[in-house]
Amino acid sequence: MVVSSANSETISLTSLLDEIEDSPHLAISKLDHTINTADVKKHGAKQNWELFGGAGIANVEEAVTQNRSRNHTDVIAQLGVRYPFMGGDDKTERALHIAKGNVLVSEIKLKQSMEVIRYQIEQAYSQYWAAQTKVTLSNAYSQLSEQIKNILSLRRDAGLLLESDRQEFLAGFERVNYISVQQQSKADQAHRKLRRLTNRDLPAFDAVKPTFYTPPLNTPDSIFINKDHPELQVINIELETQRKQLNASRRDRVYADFVVKTDLVQEFSGQTGHGVYAGISFHMPLFYNSYKDADNDYVEASIQKSEFEYHQRNGLLIEQARLTESLYRDYITRIQLNKTQLTALRKLVEERSQRVERLDGDVLSALVIGMYRYYIQSIELIDVQMKLWETQTKLRKFPQWINLLNQQPPIDIPDYSALSDIIFRSQYSIQNATGSLQKPIQPQTRKTVTGVYLWRSHDIVNQTDNSFWRQLRSKQIGLILLSLDASQIKQATEDPNIIRSFLSSAKENNISVELLLGDPTWALPEHRESLFEIISKLNKLPFDGLNLDIEPDSLTDNVTDSLIKDWLETIRGAVTRSPWPVSVTTHFRYLDQPQNSHCTPCELITMGVNGVSAMVFVSNPKRVVEIVDPILKNYPTLQISVAQSLEHHLSKEESYASFSPKEVTRRMNNIQEHLSKRKNFGGMVIQSWSNFRNTN
């Protein structure tokens, strides 16, 4: 079974078509061309002079006198050359024309075979893409199956759902499973076909669909006239060959040879003799005129037939092109309709997701039905795109139309990953759905506080006076995100008293301390265990939480889907192993919009993350509110703090470093005043204490 993964290579259609000329499936067409080329050489060798000869024994009766004769036996040999002309030369020339025409036809058929293989490869590639995409969709949808099945059973047991309705919901999940298995089989078939056609050992890969364009309007028939179409080219060659035959057949049908020969005669008596002959020999049909007329009629009728076939075939090709163009327009219209339906269904799902936690369980039923309809509609969209792709491939036989098509605006087709986004967004809503069965789950809350990132904490952790705590209270700091370097971690493992004393002082001053771990390489699978070892070593210390500042952007500018998956998997592992509540520091973009196929906040909620510090390094309070408020609204069960910067190396638009302490306070208060209306707003976090402590 071929299964693509996050690490699968993306292989374009173009790369599969690059080596098509070496395909073993072209062997027969290539051999036909070789045979016809050899046939031309064979007929060419028949032109010009010919050698002939012979030998035999003759019994000769020779008159000696009037009444007497004698018999003797002679050996006769003959050798000569001849040059055909008139009808004989025409016959050879006509055969040569036919042979040359066959060569041209075999060249066209070779190109036609290449185009057929190209079409088959592209068709298999589109089928592979469609099946692969449907499997991805089905797997995303199936993530909710067990969760929804449990809720449906609870509603049935509470008398809120008929068993027949529950079975209908379950049948929908079974259909999704069936589609997933069916499409995986189709992906396997398409993959095997691609391996056979390309003669390559293809691994599982990610396919890429082409761009589709709006069809041109009011195209004339002339745009579909393609004299280079293989079928028309073959008829043209036949026509040209027949016309050459007609020119040759209009000469005299008298077949003549110019002959030069010598004869050698030897009698058994030993006497010899020879003779030389030069002359012209000929032969012709007895009914010459009848033969000539019939031959002309045959060739002229063949020409007329080919001309009729050309015009008839050209008209049929235009008709087929028109039909294919009509199908292309129909598929584009269906995509537009599909887009409208998907937009409506997406809105339905989003609204049901927001209401399902507060209203009666019937809203849950409507949500599940809406998601299933969205799934089915997405599957149909993939099918239409595959048919549109195949139609576009057929229309490539008409270059003028394709050139005109490429000048049109592209079609905006919804990304199938939108379903994954909707599923993730709905997942925690369904998880919290009660429908009169449970108490409503409220968002995780903590007191709105101002926190600081404390890096290079060695001296502060080891100091014994209260100056640090007085500074924190004066600045109304209620949270420390405490970073420990390798030596501090080692010390805390061997002698935890210093850290315990620091944490005890924090508690006395009513300040929370979360352990801050911030090596971005821990997001990678090969370094993940290092993070887990640190958690294990420090798990006896009474931190108030664990904050992971290991966002993927610190590793590369090109954050891939695979890297995001690895990052989330590291967070999931930390949540499982941590004795403290886990929060995450990340750029706000991961909360504002789906990253590739991931709804990051949805996954963080599902895995049990306590909160997020969203890095919004923007010094304009209005813009900060515009960014964060929709995120707080969209994810009401996720505690979100706003991380701001006082770092000097950032620009004025990103950091408060260039502002006065009074202005910094004013802007932060402005942000808190607007966002504190949201119950899941966790306050402000300052990057970092080393910059913030110097502000008065």
Side-chain angles (χ1 to χ4, degrees), residues 84-96:
F85 64 99
M86 296 182 69
D89 186 39
D90 294 347
K91 181 179 180 180
T92 304
E93 185 179 354
R94 290 170 68 179
L96 186 60

Side-chain angles (χ1 to χ4, degrees), residues 179-190:
I179 291 175
S180 179
V181 173
Q182 179 193 53
Q183 295 305 316
Q184 184 60 66
S185 175
K186 289 187 176 181
D188 292 342
Q189 294 173 16

Side-chain angles (χ1 to χ4, degrees), residues 552-554 556-564 589-590 595-596:
D553 300 69
S554 300
T556 177
D557 293 332
N558 182 25
V559 178
T560 63
D561 185 68
S562 175
L563 182 55
I564 293 176
R589 80 169 64 90
Y590 290 96
Q595 297 295 309
N596 297 336

Side-chain angles (χ1 to χ4, degrees), residues 129-188:
W129 168 83
Q132 186 184 56
T133 308
K134 289 178 184 179
V135 169
T136 302
L137 270 178
S138 301
N139 292 343
Y141 187 87
S142 296
Q143 291 177 9
L144 289 176
S145 60
E146 292 304 318
Q147 192 175 5
I148 294 178
K149 287 177 183 177
N150 291 335
I151 294 176
L152 293 175
S153 295
L154 288 172
R155 285 179 51 73
R156 177 202 59 187
D157 296 342
L160 300 175
L161 182 70
L162 295 175
E163 174 63 16
S164 58
D165 291 337
R166 190 183 77 92
Q167 290 295 336
E168 187 174 349
F169 284 128
L170 297 181
F173 282 112
E174 290 304 320
R175 184 183 177 191
V176 173
N177 291 333
Y178 168 75
I179 291 175
S180 179
V181 173
Q182 179 193 53
Q183 295 305 316
Q184 184 60 66
S185 175
K186 289 187 176 181
D188 292 342

Side-chain angles (χ1 to χ4, degrees), residues 213-227:
Y213 297 93
T214 304
L217 299 174
N218 303 319
T219 52
D221 284 350
S222 58
I223 205 169
F224 293 110
I225 295 177
N226 179 17
K227 295 180 180 179

Side-chain angles (χ1 to χ4, degrees), residues 501-517:
S501 176
F502 179 84
L503 296 176
S504 177
S505 297
K507 192 175 293 294
E508 292 174 2
N509 286 276
N510 199 29
I511 294 174
S512 300
V513 180
E514 295 185 2
L515 175 61
L516 175 62
L517 298 178

Side-chain angles (χ1 to χ4, degrees), residues 562-599:
S562 175
L563 182 55
I564 293 176
K565 286 182 179 179
D566 291 338
W567 172 55
L568 290 172
E569 193 59 36
T570 296
I571 296 172
R572 192 188 312 277
V575 170
T576 303
R577 292 166 174 80
S578 173
W580 321 286
V582 176
S583 58
V584 175
T585 294
T586 185
H587 194 284
F588 73 84
R589 80 169 64 90
Y590 290 96
L591 311 176
D592 183 45
Q593 56 187 338
Q595 297 295 309
N596 297 336
S597 62
H598 298 278
C599 168

Side-chain angles (χ1 to χ4, degrees), residues 48 72 83 96 123 186 218 296 340 380 401 424 462 480 524 607 637 666 686:
N48 303 321
H72 59 87
Y83 187 90
L96 186 60
Q123 185 184 48
K186 289 187 176 181
N218 303 319
N296 283 338
T340 303
E380 291 180 4
W401 192 90
F424 282 128
N462 285 276
I480 299 172
L524 303 174
M607 68 178 67
T637 59
R666 187 190 71 80
I686 310 302

